Amino acid sequence: MLLHRILRAHVARPSRISSISSFTQPVRSFSTTWRNYQQNPLDPTRGLPDIDASKLEVTETITPKEILPNKDLIFGRTFTEWTASDGWHTPRITPYQNLSLDPATCVFHYAFEAFEGMKAYKCSKDNSLRLFRPDKNMARLNKSVARIALPTFDGEAFTKLIGEFCKLDQRFIPSDKGYSLYLRPTMIGTQRTLGVGPSGSALLYVIASPVGPYYPTGFKAISLEATDYAVRAWPGGVGDKKLGANYAPCIVPQLKAAAKGLHQNLWLFGEEEFITEVGTMNLFIALKDKETGQKELITAPLDGTILEGVTRDSVLALARERMEKDGWKISERYLRMSELAAAQEEGRLIEVFGAGTAAIVAPIRKILWKEKMIDCGLQETEEAGAVAMQMKNWMEAIQYGEDDSTSWSYTVQ
Amino acid sequence: MLLHRILRAHVARPSRISSISSFTQPVRSFSTTWRNYQQNPLDPTRGLPDIDASKLEVTETITPKEILPNKDLIFGRTFTEWTASDGWHTPRITPYQNLSLDPATCVFHYAFEAFEGMKAYKCSKDNSLRLFRPDKNMARLNKSVARIALPTFDGEAFTKLIGEFCKLDQRFIPSDKGYSLYLRPTMIGTQRTLGVGPSGSALLYVIASPVGPYYPTGFKAISLEATDYAVRAWPGGVGDKKLGANYAPCIVPQLKAAAKGLHQNLWLFGEEEFITEVGTMNLFIALKDKETGQKELITAPLDGTILEGVTRDSVLALARERMEKDGWKISERYLRMSELAAAQEEGRLIEVFGAGTAAIVAPIRKILWKEKMIDCGLQETEEAGAVAMQMKNWMEAIQYGEDDSTSWSYTVQ
């Protein structure tokens, strides 16, 4: 979901790395470690203590970080963190620090790693600290780690710890709308072994970075290359889990798209060329039915090959609640690339956008498919369609506590 | 390829972790680092210095490790290493030490990691140090890292460095046959970034562990569960590369097989249930043709879903050179699970074995498939078939320098 900004920078200047890697000094880390859980290999956590938020230990930094002006809060530049370091039993918040790991640690060899992306917001009305649907992130992280035999954990307890962490660093979250603290819960296997087996120890940590608006000067529509030589996920694979394993193989298709001046790649599946995801975001397509003219908002179904995006789920729920009454049909279904192309040719394509935590929505201008450039419905002077804009506004109103009609905004106590 | 030993321990005693993680103190590491290679995103290494073996810097440990008696040289217990740390330009051999990495390093989040498994042997005839087909490992590692946009390197130069490393620690390699120094070349992405893009820096390191015979008391045949709920690899994926991403998702199927008292899982693909790999080894099946009675040795073809095993390639080459003249047909072709079952029912199944660096060959006793236990042709008192035994002998004769008829044994100068 951080792809857009990076890819854009990439296209604009090939030596983008210097700008990405020059982080300023982060300030804090939170961590909890877990060891020796091999009582039952298929249920490693059974009978062992879960995370106990009441045992949290906090070590304040002695060199507090200076608050940067909002304009410098660029995604991925400044970090404040939690780092996992001392057992499920005693969660800790410490100053940001490196991890010291044996080179035979299994995370380096066999990709024992899973993560989440989430954000903390300051409520526009009362300045309270808010998380957005943290239960969804915790449930997904637990599903991800279970798939690679890492230990699961109590998501509610961990959400409380994330709240404590955010409170300590809330001065880094500007109250201006669009600003937030990006949070990266991460679990890695830490056992030192070259044997391919379950990791006997794990580290769960969170790092954070104050971030500004994803589109500081308004939406910027992106263009895609439909990838026909590589496949992101497969039935029976792990494409629906947020595992590190799903990400490194995405880079070459990204770079190949960038080499053609496009921002990101579009993943297709099978001979039918079903539309699945864009880069590391879910994808939504709005079009009119050929027969009835009914407007339909479509995203790929959760068949095991699609990441179960929290933004995807939220967009679907909001669309069902607020757009169906205006005649929209909201569909989780397969859509072939050829159907999208036909809709465009016949003037039935309304708009296309990606959905993810970083940008909420990423409007798509065009898609290169089989040497054909498909226009996705935006006017030349337009950077986003009406549905994408509406969704971003609806989502932000909930995230910043202006819209209390859902139970999605979690107030940190 | 280390699965067999681990899985067996796992079945025998669920709390196997203590025995795996209790490494004794390793002694040395080798490393080379690579930074800022983003000149051309699709060819990151172009125009930049490659590894220069002549610039090697060696830092001797001040606490040399005691040589352990051979009986304690259990796979994965004792380490001596190379650790990557200071640029492709200046490779280093240093005492074994932890890696210190920022928790936002991309290897922890997006699985920027690839590795190799290889061994150094002491020649039975002249005590010279030998590597087995290191060019194959270097070529494969280069293919693996290129697939995840990590930098490639000069495989010959790196092989020389591995040789230097082995020479320094050759006192850890017993000259008894069956003993060797297991080597683990590893490359990880080290850029500190949460953006999903190519890593701007990388670390290439080698760690090593003296190992004893894989079958200290003779062959031990293993039994498998055919996995029908998960898929290891798919066309357009990365299953033919030795990436960390391919390994963590293998653990749960391993554990499920273990829960049924079986040692490992067998990966099938597609509706046809084509036989692909066993755990993390390639698989060979020997059977007689239904019509002609001709003996055939079969392994899955390299269609992008099969790891291009060095042992696989060597077994095929030896079989073609030494078995065809005895009437064997040597085939890289698809074989359905149902065909294997039919061959067994009709008394045409000769033997089945896995092939990998750790064990060379791993004879298979039986396979559980759809609630049916398929006997793979071994007598009850037998732990290996004739082809597997022959292959192990042929391979070891080459690895230990007794058979000079191939160019596969590389003498460290």
Side-chain angles (χ1 to χ4, degrees):
Chain A
M1 66 219 153
L2 313 187
L3 284 174
H4 178 203
R5 176 171 301 276
I6 284 157
L7 233 281
R8 270 195 296 165
H10 205 78
V11 172
R13 86 200 129 151
S15 61
R16 66 151 190 84
I17 291 307
S18 58
S19 69
I20 299 297
S21 59
S22 61
F23 295 112
T24 49
Q25 182 62 31
V27 291
R28 203 190 303 276
S29 67
F30 167 83
S31 64
T32 184
T33 319
W34 190 81
R35 290 205 174 87
N36 298 321
Y37 56 80
Q38 294 303 321
Q39 296 191 310
N40 176 344
L42 282 174
D43 182 7
T45 52
R46 192 170 61 181
L48 285 172
D50 210 317
I51 293 172
D52 185 346
S54 70
K55 289 192 178 154
L56 173 66
E57 289 176 9
V58 179
T59 310
E60 285 281 359
T61 179
I62 51 167
T63 53
K65 188 173 180 190
E66 210 180 314
I67 296 176
L68 294 171
N70 284 355
K71 70 173 177 54
D72 292 335
L73 296 175
I74 295 172
F75 218 115
R77 286 283 176 99
T78 311
F79 280 81
T80 178
E81 59 146 3
W82 303 2
T83 314
S85 63
D86 213 56
W88 256 212
H89 299 146
T90 308
R92 292 186 192 174
I93 295 178
T94 67
Y96 196 93
Q97 57 196 247
N98 272 15
L99 302 176
S100 176
L101 292 169
D102 189 289
T105 304
C106 65
V107 67
F108 297 129
H109 301 269
Y110 308 127
F112 283 99
E113 55 192 74
F115 68 95
E116 282 297 318
M118 50 199 295
K119 286 178 177 174
Y121 311 86
K122 279 252 176 80
C123 174
S124 310
K125 290 194 292 193
D126 62 9
N127 241 18
S128 62
L129 258 179
R130 306 289 187 109
L131 298 171
F132 183 71
R133 308 187 78 184
D135 54 319
K136 298 288 280 183
N137 295 99
M138 294 302 109
R140 186 171 62 183
L141 185 52
N142 269 314
K143 280 170 74 172
S144 297
V145 300
R147 181 60 186 83
I148 53 174
L150 287 176
T152 56
F153 58 94
D154 177 345
E156 275 183 52
F158 199 59
T159 301
K160 273 186 199 152
L161 295 171
I162 292 175
E164 291 300 317
F165 176 55
C166 292
K167 276 197 282 186
L168 283 168
D169 280 334
Q170 59 183 304
R171 69 203 172 90
F172 289 101
I173 314 175
S175 42
D176 302 303
K177 202 158 171 184
Y179 291 85
S180 60
L181 188 70
Y182 180 79
L183 296 160
R184 170 57 64 92
T186 308
M187 195 189 296
I188 61 174
T190 53
Q191 189 176 346
R192 173 188 170 183
T193 176
L194 295 185
V196 181
S199 179
S201 58
L203 185 69
L204 175 59
Y205 64 91
V206 179
I207 48 180
S209 169
V211 289
Y214 198 80
Y215 301 108
T217 58
F219 275 111
K220 283 280 171 205
I222 61 172
S223 295
L224 313 178
E225 178 184 37
T227 299
D228 59 7
Y229 54 87
V231 175
R232 195 192 79 89
W234 197 268
V238 295
D240 57 340
K241 308 295 187 300
K242 215 162 172 68
L243 298 178
N246 290 320
Y247 289 80
C250 288
I251 305 305
V252 166
Q254 233 187 68
L255 294 175
K256 287 194 178 179
K260 293 182 181 171
L262 302 165
H263 303 85
Q264 194 44 272
N265 75 306
L266 177 67
W267 295 103
L268 306 177
F269 184 82
E271 282 176 24
E272 300 89 346
E273 298 189 285
F274 290 130
I275 296 170
T276 63
E277 299 191 22
V278 49
T280 57
M281 286 186 285
N282 294 115
L283 191 72
F284 284 83
I285 298 110
L287 48 71
K288 283 181 196 153
D289 188 82
K290 190 167 183 169
E291 314 299 325
T292 65
Q294 185 183 22
K295 290 184 282 187
E296 185 180 11
L297 183 65
I298 304 162
T299 196
L302 300 180
D303 63 0
T305 69
I306 302 295
L307 187 78
E308 301 178 6
V310 179
T311 308
R312 175 191 177 281
D313 185 82
S314 306
V315 165
L316 280 173
L318 290 173
R320 282 174 179 139
E321 183 192 283
R322 302 176 186 186
M323 288 168 63
E324 279 185 352
K325 64 177 188 287
D326 295 329
W328 282 82
K329 182 177 172 185
I330 311 302
S331 302
E332 294 173 75
R333 70 168 176 94
Y334 293 107
L335 185 76
R336 292 165 192 244
M337 195 59 212
S338 58
E339 292 177 81
L340 185 144
Q344 186 263 333
E345 274 168 27
E346 295 158 14
R348 298 184 288 109
L349 186 58
I350 303 169
E351 64 179 279
V352 181
F353 60 91
T357 295
I360 306 178
V361 293
I364 313 291
R365 182 173 299 284
K366 49 192 184 177
I367 301 171
L368 179 64
W369 175 58
K370 294 183 173 167
E371 277 128 58
K372 201 163 77 177
M373 191 64 86
I374 299 171
D375 189 296
C376 293
L378 295 177
Q379 303 296 318
E380 244 182 71
T381 55
E382 210 180 31
E383 296 291 337
V387 178
M389 274 206 282
Q390 180 62 267
M391 278 299 162
K392 180 166 178 283
N393 290 338
W394 281 340
M395 291 282 286
E396 285 191 336
I398 297 167
Q399 288 166 341
Y400 289 88
E402 293 164 4
D403 173 359
D404 281 334
S405 68
T406 71
S407 57
W408 293 348
S409 188
Y410 169 99
T411 304
V412 174
Q413 298 300 335
Chain B
M1 65 218 152
L2 313 187
L3 284 174
H4 178 202
R5 176 171 300 276
I6 284 157
L7 232 281
R8 269 196 298 166
H10 204 78
V11 173
R13 77 196 140 156
S15 61
R16 65 149 192 86
I17 291 306
S18 59
S19 68
I20 299 296
S21 59
S22 61
F23 294 112
T24 49
Q25 183 61 29
V27 291
R28 205 189 303 277
S29 68
F30 167 82
S31 65
T32 183
T33 318
W34 190 81
R35 292 208 173 85
N36 299 322
Y37 56 79
Q38 293 303 319
Q39 296 190 309
N40 175 345
L42 282 174
D43 182 7
T45 52
R46 191 170 63 181
L48 286 172
D50 210 318
I51 294 172
D52 185 347
S54 69
K55 289 193 178 153
L56 173 66
E57 289 176 8
V58 179
T59 309
E60 285 281 358
T61 180
I62 52 167
T63 54
K65 188 175 181 190
E66 209 180 315
I67 295 177
L68 294 171
N70 283 355
K71 69 173 177 55
D72 292 335
L73 296 175
I74 294 171
F75 217 114
R77 286 284 176 99
T78 311
F79 280 81
T80 179
E81 59 147 2
W82 303 1
T83 313
S85 63
D86 212 56
W88 256 212
H89 298 147
T90 309
R92 291 185 192 174
I93 295 177
T94 67
Y96 196 93
Q97 57 195 249
N98 271 15
L99 303 177
S100 176
L101 292 169
D102 189 288
T105 305
C106 65
V107 67
F108 296 129
H109 301 269
Y110 308 127
F112 283 98
E113 54 191 75
F115 68 95
E116 282 297 319
M118 50 199 295
K119 286 178 176 173
Y121 311 85
K122 279 252 175 80
C123 174
S124 310
K125 290 195 292 194
D126 61 9
N127 241 18
S128 62
L129 258 179
R130 305 288 187 109
L131 298 172
F132 182 71
R133 307 188 79 183
D135 54 319
K136 298 288 279 182
N137 295 99
M138 295 301 110
R140 186 171 63 183
L141 186 52
N142 270 315
K143 279 170 75 171
S144 297
V145 300
R147 180 60 185 82
I148 53 173
L150 287 176
T152 55
F153 58 94
D154 177 344
E156 275 184 50
F158 199 60
T159 300
K160 273 186 200 152
L161 294 171
I162 292 175
E164 291 299 318
F165 176 55
C166 291
K167 277 196 282 184
L168 283 168
D169 281 333
Q170 60 182 303
R171 67 202 173 91
F172 289 102
I173 314 175
S175 42
D176 301 303
K177 202 157 170 184
Y179 291 85
S180 58
L181 188 69
Y182 180 77
L183 297 159
R184 170 58 62 94
T186 307
M187 195 189 297
I188 61 174
T190 54
Q191 188 175 346
R192 174 187 169 184
T193 176
L194 296 185
V196 181
S199 180
S201 59
L203 186 68
L204 175 59
Y205 64 91
V206 179
I207 49 181
S209 170
V211 289
Y214 198 81
Y215 301 107
T217 58
F219 276 111
K220 282 281 172 203
I222 61 174
S223 295
L224 314 178
E225 178 184 36
T227 299
D228 58 8
Y229 55 86
V231 173
R232 195 192 80 89
W234 53 87
V238 295
D240 57 340
K241 309 296 187 299
K242 214 161 173 69
L243 298 178
N246 289 323
Y247 289 80
C250 290
I251 305 304
V252 166
Q254 232 187 68
L255 294 175
K256 287 194 179 181
K260 293 182 183 173
L262 301 165
H263 305 85
Q264 193 45 271
N265 76 305
L266 176 67
W267 295 103
L268 306 178
F269 185 79
E271 282 177 25
E272 301 90 347
E273 298 189 286
F274 290 131
I275 296 169
T276 61
E277 299 192 22
V278 48
T280 57
M281 287 185 285
N282 294 115
L283 191 72
F284 284 83
I285 299 109
L287 48 71
K288 284 182 195 151
D289 187 82
K290 190 167 184 169
E291 313 300 325
T292 64
Q294 185 183 21
K295 290 185 282 187
E296 184 179 13
L297 184 64
I298 304 163
T299 195
L302 301 180
D303 64 359
T305 70
I306 302 295
L307 187 79
E308 301 179 6
V310 179
T311 308
R312 174 191 179 280
D313 186 83
S314 306
V315 166
L316 279 173
L318 289 172
R320 282 176 180 137
E321 183 192 284
R322 303 177 186 188
M323 288 167 64
E324 278 184 353
K325 63 177 189 288
D326 294 330
W328 281 83
K329 181 177 173 186
I330 312 302
S331 301
E332 293 173 76
R333 70 169 176 93
Y334 294 108
L335 185 76
R336 294 166 191 243
M337 195 59 212
S338 58
E339 292 177 81
L340 185 143
Q344 187 264 332
E345 275 168 27
E346 295 158 13
R348 298 184 287 109
L349 186 59
I350 303 170
E351 64 178 279
V352 181
F353 60 91
T357 295
I360 305 178
V361 292
I364 314 290
R365 181 172 300 285
K366 49 192 182 177
I367 301 172
L368 179 63
W369 174 58
K370 294 182 173 167
E371 277 128 59
K372 202 163 75 178
M373 192 64 87
I374 299 171
D375 188 297
C376 293
L378 295 177
Q379 303 296 318
E380 244 181 74
T381 54
E382 209 181 30
E383 296 291 337
V387 177
M389 274 206 282
Q390 180 62 266
M391 278 298 163
K392 179 168 180 282
N393 290 338
W394 281 340
M395 290 283 286
E396 284 190 337
I398 297 168
Q399 287 167 341
Y400 289 87
E402 293 164 4
D403 173 359
D404 281 334
S405 69
T406 70
S407 57
W408 292 349
S409 188
Y410 169 99
T411 305
V412 174
Q413 299 299 336

